Amino acid sequence: MHVFTSETELQDSLAVHDDLVRQCVRGEISFEQFCDKYNSYWSFYALDGHESDDEEREILERYEDRIELHRAIAFDILGPLCSDEDAKREIYVQAGRFGSIVAQQKLITLWETHRSEQC
């Protein structure tokens, strides 16, 4: 192990961050609150396994379906996110950037897709 001390810690971490997504999707917290609490989860915990030893990479692989949600959030939502002010500028739109309103809608769609695939 390297990033997580145990498989249970990974499970708990996923549960907490899945719940943050759920809360934002349901409107229980704002998108801004979500971003503050979510704290770039994918990168912060190196969920791609680049900082993990062999044992931890095996554990991450067992949870790849759950982790995929957080990869998509990182790359498809938080990566292209920009300020709401910049999201109005044509150069940002052309670059595929978007503000919080679009980001929250993308998060809702991603969550619904992810949940339906888990069933």
Side-chain angles (χ1 to χ4, degrees), residues 41-80:
Y41 180 52
W42 169 265
S43 300
F44 189 79
Y45 284 93
L47 292 176
D48 63 355
H50 78 273
E51 293 186 15
S52 301
D53 60 17
D54 290 341
E55 176 188 8
E56 189 170 72
R57 275 192 289 279
E58 287 177 22
I59 293 170
L60 291 171
E61 285 177 18
R62 285 200 293 272
Y63 293 90
E64 67 184 330
D65 290 342
R66 286 186 66 193
I67 291 171
E68 174 57 24
L69 169 68
H70 301 286
R71 188 212 56 78
I73 290 170
F75 289 97
D76 300 339
I77 298 172
L78 299 180

Side-chain angles (χ1 to χ4, degrees), residues 22-47:
R22 183 194 56 75
Q23 288 175 37
C24 185
V25 164
R26 291 185 178 175
E28 297 168 9
I29 61 174
S30 69
F31 186 75
E32 182 179 353
Q33 290 170 313
F34 166 76
C35 289
D36 289 343
K37 293 178 181 187
Y38 191 78
N39 194 27
S40 300
Y41 180 52
W42 169 265
S43 300
F44 189 79
Y45 284 93
L47 292 176

Side-chain angles (χ1 to χ4, degrees), residues 3-18:
V3 177
F4 297 96
T5 59
S6 68
E7 185 169 351
T8 300
E9 184 182 357
L10 171 62
Q11 291 170 330
D12 292 346
S13 178
L14 286 167
V16 165
H17 289 84
D18 286 351

